[in-house]
Amino acid sequence: MPLFPKSLLAGAAILSASLAAPAFAACRDVSHLGEDYLACSFDPAANDIRLYNKDQAGVPFKSFKALSLELRQRDEYLVFAMNGGMYHEDLSPVGLHVEDGGEQAPLNTNSGWGNFHMLPNAVFYVGDGKAGVMAAEAYRAAGIKPRFATQSGPMLVIDGALHPRFLPDSDSLKTRNGVGVTKSGEVVFAVSKRPVRFHDFATLFRDALDCPNALFLDGTISSLYAPEINRQDRLFPLGPIIAVVARFPR
């Protein structure tokens, strides 16, 4: 067996580790306007960002644990996950839901009540190593064919402007989670640690996270799976799930 300098062996070990490990940015605490948030960033060109709703038997996953168990059967694992949009009582998506290029639920531009219909709502989509957040009508007109997509509402930040219905002195305080895409193309997921108003949550994405476009995902049920910080929320049944997935090294 040939001998190599220790420096060369150390370099090889670091290279091997970097190839085996998923390329993602650590979750971090962010303070904004006197409130605390958790934000997690991912490069869609280096990370596999997906959408899930039902398992192979056609049953909603309902939890991060159930999704994780099915992924393990394919030699894959969860790096990160977050509830990914609003859903009906049967846990089916209220709006657009695309998995592996297949449309599981259509774009919803109907009028109605509630946060989803606080127009404009929007689509978060991923494909070809890129991601975006786009108002639903603009998304339809653009003819985008994503690999994964979910629709929710309201849109938090619209080309750098806040949603026009957000009030800086609103008394509607909820735990909130959402997703935005930075000017450099990174995907940022964020969740509030305490109840906050829409206005403050939107300015978090625009002013602190550098996202010219961002989308509200949901309120009270905001849930997160982030093993790097030992967090696995399991209080509520989940509909659509956004997941960052990696393969076990072989």
Side-chain angles (χ1 to χ4, degrees):
M1 178 179 179
L3 298 178
F4 297 95
K6 289 184 178 180
S7 60
L8 182 59
L9 291 175
I14 293 172
L15 176 60
S16 176
S18 67
L19 290 175
F24 64 92
C27 295
R28 63 203 183 275
D29 292 320
V30 178
S31 294
H32 178 67
L33 298 180
E35 293 293 345
D36 294 325
Y37 302 84
L38 183 69
C40 302
S41 300
F42 299 89
D43 178 357
N47 296 272
D48 193 353
I49 303 173
R50 306 178 185 175
L51 261 293
Y52 290 98
N53 181 225
K54 297 179 180 180
D55 62 19
Q56 292 179 328
V59 177
F61 283 107
K62 297 184 181 180
S63 69
F64 299 132
K65 181 179 179 180
L67 174 56
S68 179
L69 290 174
E70 183 165 297
L71 288 173
R72 289 181 186 180
Q73 297 176 12
R74 310 176 203 165
D75 292 327
E76 297 176 324
Y77 66 95
L78 277 180
V79 174
F80 169 90
M82 176 177 275
N83 58 297
M86 298 174 188
Y87 50 87
H88 298 291
E89 288 186 8
D90 64 357
L91 303 182
S92 63
V94 171
L96 179 71
H97 185 86
V98 177
E99 293 186 25
D100 266 330
E103 186 178 288
Q104 307 296 316
L107 193 72
N108 183 344
T109 56
N110 300 331
S111 59
W113 64 274
N115 289 331
F116 182 90
H117 297 286
M118 192 188 297
L119 303 180
N121 59 29
V123 174
F124 166 67
Y125 61 92
V126 181
D128 297 326
K130 298 180 181 179
V133 170
M134 186 179 293
E137 292 290 359
Y139 175 88
R140 185 199 298 277
I144 296 171
K145 302 296 182 183
R147 184 180 175 215
F148 294 96
T150 186
Q151 182 185 6
S152 192
M155 201 167 179
L156 296 169
V157 188
I158 311 158
D159 295 330
L162 302 187
H163 193 289
R165 291 183 60 183
F166 295 166
L167 302 176
D169 57 352
S170 170
D171 60 0
S172 177
L173 303 176
K174 303 283 186 181
T175 303
R176 305 185 191 276
N177 72 299
V179 59
V181 177
T182 69
K183 294 174 183 176
S184 62
E186 278 193 329
V187 177
V188 185
F189 300 97
V191 60
S192 64
K193 294 188 177 182
R194 297 194 311 169
V196 296
R197 56 179 60 89
F198 266 131
H199 179 275
D200 297 352
F201 193 48
T203 61
L204 167 79
F205 277 97
R206 186 189 66 181
D207 302 337
L209 301 179
D210 192 36
C211 295
N213 291 284
L215 174 64
F216 175 66
L217 292 173
D218 217 330
T220 304
I221 67 131
S222 299
S223 301
L224 188 70
Y225 176 89
E228 65 172 292
I229 57 172
N230 297 315
R231 180 164 171 175
Q232 183 176 346
D233 299 340
R234 60 188 77 186
L235 290 177
F236 305 99
L238 304 176
I241 297 173
I242 303 174
V244 179
V245 177
R247 294 194 65 83
F248 284 109
R250 295 184 177 182

